[in-house]
C-alpha cells in the first residue's frame, strides 16, 4: 500500500520547511513557538486602565447546577485583570441563616482594581418559609432592576472604546455589567421577562452584559442572548444535607 499527501478531498497536504520562531525570532523546533507568547507561560503584568476591543455580547447563565454566579465573577476578575471596568449588581442574595455575615467574594472584589459590586437583595429567598416577606423580595427586586437600567444607561453615555478609571463610579460607565440572579427574579415573577429582554436590547454596543440565575430555561432570551449556558446539576452536596460552606458558597 502506498501513501500520498492528499486528503479525502484530493487537496495536497500543506506543509512548510520554515522553522517556527518565537516572539524574539529564535527557533526551538516546536509548534509552541508559533503561539502569541512564543511557548512561554504568561507572566502577570501591572493592571492599568484599558478598553476591550471585542466586548458587547449578552450572556445568560442558568440551570439547576452550582456555579452560575461563580462563573460570572470569574469572568469579571479576568476582565478586571486586563484593566477593564467591571461592576456586579446582585439581586435576591440578601443573606440567609445558612450564610455568615461575610462574603469572600466581596472581600476579594474590594481588593481588585476596576471591579466593584452592590447588593440589592432581601434577606432569605422568595417563596420559602424562612421568615422573609415575599412582598419585600418583590420590592427589592423591582428597585434592583431599575438600578440595572440606570447602569446600562450610564454605560450608553460613556465612551466604552476608551479606558475607564478603575476607581470610577459605575454610573459613569462600565465595560462589563454582571446582573446576578436577575433571571431568578424573572423566573419568580418579581421582574417581567419582557423587561429583561428590553434591558438586553437597550445596552450599548460595547457593553458586555452578563445575566445569571433561574433553574428554569429563560426561553425569552432565545435570539437575544449571544451566549446561553445551562449549568446542569449531576450531584449537589445540598442534596445530602450539607449546608453552605465558607470559602465555596460564600
Amino acid at each position: 500500500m502506498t501513501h500520498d499527501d492528499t486528503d479525502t478531498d484530493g487537496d495536497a497536504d500543506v506543509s512548510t520547511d520554515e522553522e517556527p520562531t518565537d516572539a524574539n525570532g529564535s527557533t526551538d523546533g516546536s509548534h509552541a513557538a508559533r503561539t502569541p507568547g512564543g511557548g512561554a507561560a504568561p507572566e502577570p503584568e501591572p493592571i492599568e486602565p484599558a478598553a476591550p476591543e471585542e466586548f458587547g455580547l449578552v450572556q445568560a447563565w442558568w440551570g439547576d447546577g452550582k456555579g452560575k454566579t461563580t462563573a460570572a465573577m470569574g469572568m469579571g476578575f479576568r476582565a478586571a485583570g486586563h484593566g477593564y471596568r467591571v461592576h456586579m449588581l446582585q439581586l435576591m442574595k440578601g443573606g440567609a441563616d445558612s450564610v455568615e455575615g461575610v462574603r469572600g467574594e466581596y472581600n476579594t472584589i474590594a481588593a481588585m482594581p476596576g471591579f466593584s459590586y452592590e447588593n440589592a437583595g432581601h434577606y432569605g429567598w422568595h417563596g420559602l418559609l424562612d421568615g422573609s416577606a415575599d412582598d419585600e423580595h418583590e420590592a427589592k427586586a423591582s428597585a434592583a432592576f431599575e438600578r440595572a437600567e440606570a447602569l446600562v444607561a450610564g454605560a450608553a453615555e460613556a465612551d466604552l472604546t476608551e479606558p475607564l478609571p478603575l476607581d470610577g463610579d459605575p454610573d459613569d460607565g462600565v465595560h462589563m455589567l454582571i446582573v446576578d440572579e436577575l433571571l431568578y427574579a424573572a423566573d419568580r415573577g418579581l421582574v417581567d421577562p419582557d423587561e429583561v429582554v428590553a434591558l438586553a436590547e437597550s445596552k450599548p454596543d460595547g457593553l458586555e452584559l452578563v445575566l445569571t440565575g433561574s433553574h428554569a430555561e429563560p426561553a425569552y432570551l432565545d435570539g437575544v442572548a449571544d451566549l446561553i449556558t445551562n449549568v446542569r446539576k449531576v450531584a449537589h452536596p445540598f442534596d445530602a444535607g450539607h449546608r453552605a460552606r465558607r470559602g465555596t458558597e460564600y
Side-chain angles (χ1 to χ4, degrees), residues 24-111:
N24 297 318
S26 62
T27 63
D28 67 359
S30 73
H31 290 288
R34 300 185 184 199
T35 66
E43 295 289 337
E45 300 177 352
I47 297 175
E48 301 290 345
E53 297 180 357
E54 298 179 309
F55 272 19
L57 302 185
V58 176
Q59 302 188 26
W61 292 74
W62 71 281
D64 62 354
K66 167 179 163 59
K68 300 178 287 293
T69 297
T70 303
M73 286 192 295
M75 282 190 295
F77 281 111
R78 178 177 288 159
H82 285 290
Y84 308 152
R85 186 68 177 88
V86 181
H87 187 70
M88 179 176 69
L89 171 66
Q90 285 195 314
L91 285 69
M92 315 302 294
K93 292 177 176 173
D97 61 3
S98 61
V99 178
E100 298 174 30
V102 62
R103 306 244 181 118
E105 59 265 40
Y106 292 174
N107 295 340
T108 307
I109 289 172

Side-chain angles (χ1 to χ4, degrees), residues 50-56 84-85 151-164 170 172-177 203-209:
E53 297 180 357
E54 298 179 309
F55 272 19
Y84 308 152
R85 186 68 177 88
L151 289 165
V152 169
E157 293 293 324
D159 184 354
L160 302 183
T161 66
E162 294 293 330
L164 298 172
D172 295 331
V174 296
H175 296 117
M176 176 183 287
L177 176 61
K203 76 166 195 64
D205 290 341
L207 175 64
E208 191 83 5
L209 182 62

Side-chain angles (χ1 to χ4, degrees), residues 77-209:
F77 281 111
R78 178 177 288 159
H82 285 290
Y84 308 152
R85 186 68 177 88
V86 181
H87 187 70
M88 179 176 69
L89 171 66
Q90 285 195 314
L91 285 69
M92 315 302 294
K93 292 177 176 173
D97 61 3
S98 61
V99 178
E100 298 174 30
V102 62
R103 306 244 181 118
E105 59 265 40
Y106 292 174
N107 295 340
T108 307
I109 289 172
M112 181 74 188
F115 201 160
S116 56
Y117 76 92
E118 57 190 291
N119 184 296
H122 181 55
Y123 173 84
W125 288 95
H126 180 265
L128 298 182
L129 299 177
D130 55 12
S132 62
D134 284 355
D135 57 346
E136 288 293 331
H137 282 291
E138 183 174 1
K140 285 277 191 177
S142 178
F145 184 76
E146 291 180 2
R147 175 63 178 149
E149 291 179 312
L151 289 165
V152 169
E157 293 293 324
D159 184 354
L160 302 183
T161 66
E162 294 293 330
L164 298 172
L166 299 182
D167 60 352
D169 191 324
D171 290 273
D172 295 331
V174 296
H175 296 117
M176 176 183 287
L177 176 61
I178 301 168
V179 190
D180 187 40
E181 301 296 355
L182 176 58
L183 304 184
Y184 175 75
D187 179 41
R188 300 295 304 177
L190 307 181
V191 174
D192 189 335
D194 289 340
E195 291 185 320
V196 178
V197 171
L199 180 75
E201 293 179 338
S202 71
K203 76 166 195 64
D205 290 341
L207 175 64
E208 191 83 5
L209 182 62

